Amino acid sequence: MKRRKLLLIILPPILLAATLLLIINSRPTQSLERKPYTLFYTLQDLSNPYFIAVRNGAVDRASELGIKLEVHDAQSNESLQVEALERAIRLKPDAIICSPVAIEPCIPLRKKSQQSGIPFINPNQAIPGSDANINIDEYEFGYAGGIIAGTWVRDVLDGYAKTAVIGHEQITPLAERAQGIEDGIRAIAPRVDIVAYGSANTPQSGFEEAQRIMKAHPDIEVIAAINDGAALGALAVLQGMVKDPSRYCVVGLDATSEAISKMKEPRSMFRGTVDIDPYGTGRQIIDVTVKVLEEGPIDEVIEIPMIPVTWKNIEAY
């Protein structure tokens, strides 16, 4: 009798546990998995080698994590980027990522995105109030490139050279970068003569600006640009007009694969760049976005490290 009572006491919990186990095992496996995130990323210009590398890093990392990523090319056009952001907010992805063409038009869209419950992640030029900002100090970035160009003037050209600086004043942070380039050059070679300024951020616009500059000042021997894209365009102009490259110096910023390849060519006039690992930055952007989605906004700026690459260390790079 005691044995029967014991079975009656024990049996119901066993049946309950078995029933629960059966229910759990009968559920579709997918219901236990997290739904893949959907992200929207509008970046400045995919004719710029830097942003090509950033895009590639972001796409690869998203693929590894099972994230759906839509990439939009703003083509250096404010209106295109604004339209893309407005469309993205209507579609409600899990997060929006924006490398801005211009900062001011993006601020109200950043607010609208957040008000709609969509975190807003901001690589490159800083959009105030973003849920995360992945950036560099623009002035210091330019200054690092200016130091490279100034060192060439000091060590190879005896401290004096006619020089051009190619900036991109349409974007305020890039104007700061150009100022950093100029100050870096003068810090090392105070007698330098900066005779021309241009505005470009892609190989094509860099080519056009360098043509204009060299036509007006054919005795320029040093060109420093705000990115490798513009610098590569300037390099193409010099290659078409210079017979002896030994005195000439082109400096860019970003350390894109195209720039590194040019630096390694025999008799290259591309003397330096500054590595901010654009491919790795693209991967980092996705990781930061996931962290914001899972843990909330990040207040401190996530800084991108800078490593100068010059004619002195390129073979070991």
Side-chain angles (χ1 to χ4, degrees):
M1 179 67 72
K2 287 182 179 179
R3 194 174 195 179
R4 188 176 175 187
K5 285 182 179 179
L6 184 62
L7 284 171
L8 289 172
I9 293 169
I10 294 174
L11 193 56
I14 293 173
L15 288 172
L16 178 62
T19 304
L20 287 172
L21 187 61
L22 183 63
I23 292 170
I24 291 170
N25 288 335
S26 66
R27 289 177 182 174
T29 304
Q30 288 183 343
S31 67
L32 298 177
E33 298 177 355
R34 186 189 70 194
K35 179 184 176 183
Y37 290 128
T38 298
L39 309 180
F40 176 83
Y41 183 11
T42 173
L43 42 71
Q44 198 180 105
D45 199 321
L46 281 177
S47 66
N48 182 335
Y50 170 80
F51 282 109
I52 293 172
V54 170
R55 186 270 312 275
N56 291 344
V59 167
D60 287 352
R61 185 58 175 153
S63 177
E64 291 170 6
L65 297 177
I67 290 170
K68 297 177 181 178
L69 175 66
E70 178 184 347
V71 177
H72 171 262
D73 179 9
Q75 302 174 39
S76 292
N77 186 311
E78 294 177 30
S79 298
L80 280 179
Q81 189 161 66
V82 166
E83 290 171 5
L85 286 169
E86 289 174 339
R87 177 178 65 85
I89 292 168
R90 290 194 300 270
L91 293 175
K92 292 188 178 299
D94 292 298
I96 289 174
I97 309 165
C98 178
S99 295
V101 174
I103 294 168
E104 291 302 320
C106 292
I107 293 175
L109 290 160
R110 184 270 300 166
K111 294 177 181 176
K112 186 176 180 181
S113 175
Q114 292 167 328
Q115 289 166 356
S116 300
I118 307 168
F120 194 93
I121 314 302
N122 170 219
N124 308 111
Q125 291 74 39
I127 300 172
S130 297
D131 291 287
N133 179 257
I134 305 155
N135 214 334
I136 53 174
D137 184 308
E138 293 290 349
Y139 178 86
E140 292 298 330
F141 190 32
Y143 194 88
I147 292 293
I148 296 172
T151 300
W152 178 267
V153 175
R154 182 193 67 192
D155 294 353
V156 179
L157 303 179
D158 299 322
Y160 175 82
K162 289 190 176 181
T163 300
V165 173
I166 298 179
H168 193 57
E169 70 277 2
Q170 292 92 328
I171 300 175
T172 301
L174 295 186
E176 296 171 7
R177 191 186 297 185
Q179 186 62 55
I181 291 173
E182 181 174 350
D183 291 350
I185 294 171
R186 294 190 189 281
I188 300 297
R191 293 192 298 114
V192 74
D193 188 7
I194 299 178
V195 298
Y197 297 86
S199 179
N201 69 335
T202 66
Q204 182 60 38
S205 58
F207 183 85
E208 293 166 358
E209 280 294 88
Q211 276 189 320
R212 179 187 66 79
I213 288 169
M214 295 306 295
K215 184 176 181 179
H217 304 278
D219 49 355
I220 282 175
E221 293 177 307
V222 177
I223 299 177
I226 50 102
N227 63 18
D228 286 341
L232 288 166
L235 178 68
V237 172
L238 290 181
Q239 286 175 329
M241 63 181 291
V242 171
K243 293 182 179 180
D244 179 8
S246 62
R247 291 178 59 85
Y248 288 84
C249 171
V250 175
V251 172
L253 298 169
D254 295 333
T256 61
S257 58
E258 293 90 338
I260 298 301
S261 294
K262 287 294 181 183
M263 287 181 68
K264 290 184 175 182
E265 289 180 0
R267 292 165 53 87
S268 175
M269 291 178 280
F270 206 121
R271 310 293 181 179
T273 184
V274 178
D275 188 359
I276 53 173
D277 187 13
Y279 178 83
T281 299
R283 295 178 63 86
Q284 182 185 33
I285 288 166
I286 300 302
D287 287 338
V288 168
T289 302
V290 171
K291 185 174 182 180
V292 169
L293 285 167
E294 297 182 349
E295 300 179 17
I298 300 171
D299 294 331
E300 67 277 7
V301 175
I302 300 164
E303 294 188 358
I304 300 169
M306 296 181 284
I307 304 170
V309 183
T310 76
W311 69 96
K312 295 181 179 182
N313 66 0
I314 184 61
E315 292 306 322
Y317 180 74

